[in-house]
């Protein structure tokens, strides 16, 4: 049973697929769905909150603990709930994804207000900050899992890549003002003011999501139980070789590359000596790079070499981290971190799209849940890079991780012709 509106999909289905050329009317056809437009603008609100959160929690933990290792642990615990991805995927294959979105964003509003009050009253400490981060991480794990299958519900299979890529432009694009604004708020108004601003973004998204009309609920027609769906997510890895290879690539990239986010506050404080505003600027330019990468993907249209591009993006990710780590100045570091953003946005969108296109419609929630599980395993890298930064230095830690990733991806590419052909 298809859940997207057939009338709204007529124009989408009739649009020609583009491989090498591009027309705006083709690339942006997903916006013809009114619910997709609501979801896109709502994503701006949730992304605003997420990116302020990303700056705020890292800075707050480092200020309270003055330890890169504790920072790595705190960042890991904020993302470990992503291991719940298979549970979230099982649930989102069974109940209305629209309602799940609304409930999750409402919880984020409540958590933001609670965090602001704890900071304003002086009760906040490292354990409480870590606990709040874990709560936000749990909600985010479910939100990531439900949003991408819901995009598929709204735009259909023909425009799945464009729909996901355009939605990701909202997520990464808002990271530019969100990160810079978050860093500035910490410097000007303190952490409590930043938490209030974060909650405002989530509240805006909640108001918009209440207007969504299209349900999903493939399962309303009598799908398997949540437990069956949960176990089916793991069977995808063992029975679908393409899914297994994609999961392996996500695993190593999350461990060795995305973990660099855990030590960015150390670079801002100790390496470049630019403070909270510099941390916000680095994250903002990284988001700008991701936006450039995503728009490039949209411009390419329905490319037939997704696997090769995915592998290339992962390898370049590792090389760009080495370049950032050895940058002799803040200006060159900003250029390198922008490049990491370009490959982050490209890698993220291609892995999500390729995963959904290689499973059946009723398995999409579980497939995305497996991807989110890969994000949940990623915190092992946060602890590892934090420990390395504590023992040697943050730049040396990124050189080791980035160089290792590039070599591993080259080995995967050589050994996996199937993935190259995806």
């Amino acid at each position: 049973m298809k859940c997207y509106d057939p009338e709204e999909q007529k124009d989408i289905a009739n649009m020609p697929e583009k491989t090498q050329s591009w027309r705006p009317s083709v690339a942006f056809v997903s916006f013809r769905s009114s619910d997709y437009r609501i979801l896109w603008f709502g994503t701006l609100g949730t992304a605003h909150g997420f990116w302020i959160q990303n700056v705020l929690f890292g800075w707050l933990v480092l200020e309270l603990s003055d330890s890169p290792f504790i920072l790595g642990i705190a960042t890991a615990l904020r993302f470990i709930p992503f291991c719940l991805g298979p549970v979230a995927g099982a649930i989102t294959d069974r109940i209305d994804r629209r309602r799940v979105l609304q409930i999750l964003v409402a919880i984020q509003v409540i958590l933001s207000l609670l965090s602001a009050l704890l900071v304003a009253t002086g009760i906040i400490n490292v354990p409480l900050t870590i606990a709040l981060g874990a709560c936000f991480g749990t909600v985010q794990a479910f939100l990531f899992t439900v949003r991408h299958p819901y995009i598929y519900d709204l735009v259909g299979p023909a425009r799945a890549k464009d729909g996901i890529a355009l939605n990701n432009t909202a997520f990464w694009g808002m990271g530019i003002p969100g990160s810079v604004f978050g860093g500035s708020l910490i410097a000007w108004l303190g952490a409590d003011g930043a938490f209030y601003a974060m909650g405002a973004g989530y509240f805006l998204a909640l108001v918009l999501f209440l207007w969504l009309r299209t349900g999903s609920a493939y399962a309303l027609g009598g799908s398997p139980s949540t437990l069956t769906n949960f176990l089916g997510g793991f069977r995808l890895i063992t029975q679908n070789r393409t899914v297994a290879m994609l999961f392996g690539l996500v695993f190593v990239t999350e461990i060795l590359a995305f973990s660099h986010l855990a030590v960015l506050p150390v670079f801002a404080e100790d390496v470049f000596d630019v403070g909270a505003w510099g941390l916000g600027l680095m994250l903002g330019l990284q988001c700008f790079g991701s936006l450039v990468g995503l728009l490039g993907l949209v411009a390419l249209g329905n490319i037939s070499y997704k696997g090769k591009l995915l592998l290339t993006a992962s390898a370049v990710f590792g090389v760009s981290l080495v370049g950032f780590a050895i940058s002799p100045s803040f200006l060159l570091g900003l250029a390198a971190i922008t490049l990491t953003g370009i490959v982050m946005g490209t890698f993220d969108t291609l892995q999500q799209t390729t995963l959904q296109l290689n499973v059946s419609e009723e398995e999409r929630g579980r497939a995305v849940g497996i991807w989110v599980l890969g994000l949940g395993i990623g915190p092992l890298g946060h602890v590892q890079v934090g420990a390395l930064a504590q023992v040697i230095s943050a730049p040396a830690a990124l050189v080791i991780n980035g160089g290792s990733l590039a070599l591993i991806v080259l080995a995967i590419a050589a050994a996996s012709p199937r993935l190259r052909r995806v």
Side-chain angles (χ1 to χ4, degrees):
M1 180 182 72
K2 296 189 183 300
C3 339
Y4 42 85
D5 188 337
E7 292 301 317
E8 288 190 332
Q9 298 310 308
K10 284 182 180 179
D11 290 338
I12 294 177
N14 292 329
M15 294 300 290
E17 294 293 334
K18 308 298 289 181
T19 54
Q20 300 301 326
S21 58
W22 176 67
R23 292 183 304 171
S25 60
V26 175
F28 293 92
V29 70
S30 299
F31 282 109
R32 295 187 181 184
S33 164
S34 60
D35 273 353
Y36 182 85
R37 293 194 298 271
I38 292 173
L39 181 68
W40 194 88
F41 283 106
T43 298
L44 290 177
T46 60
H48 166 87
F50 175 83
W51 288 109
I52 291 179
Q53 176 194 143
N54 219 36
V55 177
L56 182 53
F57 274 98
W59 188 259
L60 193 56
V61 170
L62 189 61
E63 285 289 291
L64 292 170
S65 68
D66 194 29
S67 169
F69 181 60
I70 296 296
L71 175 61
I73 292 176
T75 308
L77 291 175
R78 189 155 69 93
F79 287 99
I80 276 179
F82 280 67
C83 287
L84 295 172
V87 177
I91 292 173
T92 58
D93 271 344
R94 185 165 178 80
I95 62 178
D96 192 339
R97 295 177 183 126
R98 172 186 49 176
R99 297 301 181 203
V100 175
L101 277 172
Q102 294 165 348
I103 292 169
L104 291 173
V105 178
I107 294 172
Q108 288 179 315
V109 173
I110 295 170
L111 286 174
S112 299
L113 294 177
L114 175 61
S115 301
L117 290 173
L118 288 173
V119 174
T121 56
I123 299 174
I124 197 70
N125 54 35
V126 172
L128 274 177
T129 305
I130 292 174
L132 286 169
C135 290
F136 273 108
T138 301
V139 177
Q140 201 70 40
F142 278 79
L143 187 62
F144 274 28
T145 305
V146 70
R147 184 165 54 208
H148 293 111
Y150 189 57
I151 292 170
Y152 191 106
D153 292 336
L154 297 179
V155 304
R159 290 295 148 193
K161 180 185 72 67
D162 286 348
I164 292 173
L166 288 171
N167 192 260
N168 282 353
T169 63
F171 177 79
W172 289 103
M174 185 51 69
I176 303 167
S179 299
V180 176
F181 184 51
S184 300
L185 276 177
I186 297 171
W188 296 340
L189 301 177
D192 54 336
F195 274 120
Y196 283 124
M198 185 173 79
Y202 290 133
F203 180 76
L204 173 63
L206 176 60
V207 171
L208 289 171
F209 288 165
L210 290 175
W211 286 90
L212 290 169
R213 294 178 296 111
T214 304
S216 59
Y218 160 85
L220 289 183
S223 72
S225 68
T226 300
L227 177 60
T228 301
N229 282 345
F230 172 73
L231 297 175
F234 288 99
R235 281 197 295 271
L236 280 176
I237 298 178
T238 60
Q239 297 177 0
N240 187 321
R241 188 173 178 183
T242 301
V243 170
M245 289 187 292
L246 287 169
F247 179 76
L249 186 62
V250 169
F251 177 83
V252 296
T253 306
E254 287 291 333
I255 291 285
L256 296 174
F258 281 93
S259 58
H260 79 280
L261 295 170
V263 293
L264 282 186
V266 180
F267 275 85
E269 180 80 351
D270 300 329
V271 178
F272 295 129
D273 192 25
V274 289
W277 74 269
L279 174 61
L281 183 59
M282 285 192 289
L283 287 170
L285 283 175
Q286 191 171 61
C287 291
F288 171 75
S290 294
L291 184 61
V292 170
L294 290 167
L295 291 175
L297 275 182
V298 173
L300 287 173
N302 189 30
I303 54 177
S304 58
Y305 44 90
K306 297 181 182 70
K308 291 180 180 178
L309 188 55
L310 182 65
L311 289 163
T312 300
S314 184
V316 175
F317 197 170
V319 173
S320 66
L321 286 179
V322 174
F324 173 72
I326 63 176
S327 296
S329 68
F330 183 53
L331 185 61
L332 289 175
L334 290 177
I337 207 69
T338 303
L339 177 58
T340 69
I342 293 174
V343 290
M344 282 171 68
T346 303
F347 180 85
D348 242 6
T349 299
L350 284 174
Q351 63 174 333
Q352 296 160 19
T353 305
T354 305
L355 192 59
Q356 292 202 56
L357 292 177
N358 280 279
V359 297
S360 62
E361 182 168 342
E362 63 270 20
E363 294 174 326
R364 286 186 288 108
R366 277 159 281 176
V368 175
I370 291 299
W371 165 66
V372 173
L373 172 62
L375 303 187
I377 294 172
L380 295 174
H382 294 107
V383 176
Q384 175 257 357
V385 77
L388 278 178
Q390 184 81 39
V391 174
I392 44 178
S393 69
L398 290 193
V399 169
I400 292 171
N401 279 13
S404 298
L405 175 63
L407 293 175
I408 291 172
V409 172
L410 288 175
I412 292 175
S416 305
R418 186 186 183 101
L419 184 55
R420 297 200 303 271
R421 293 195 300 268
V422 170

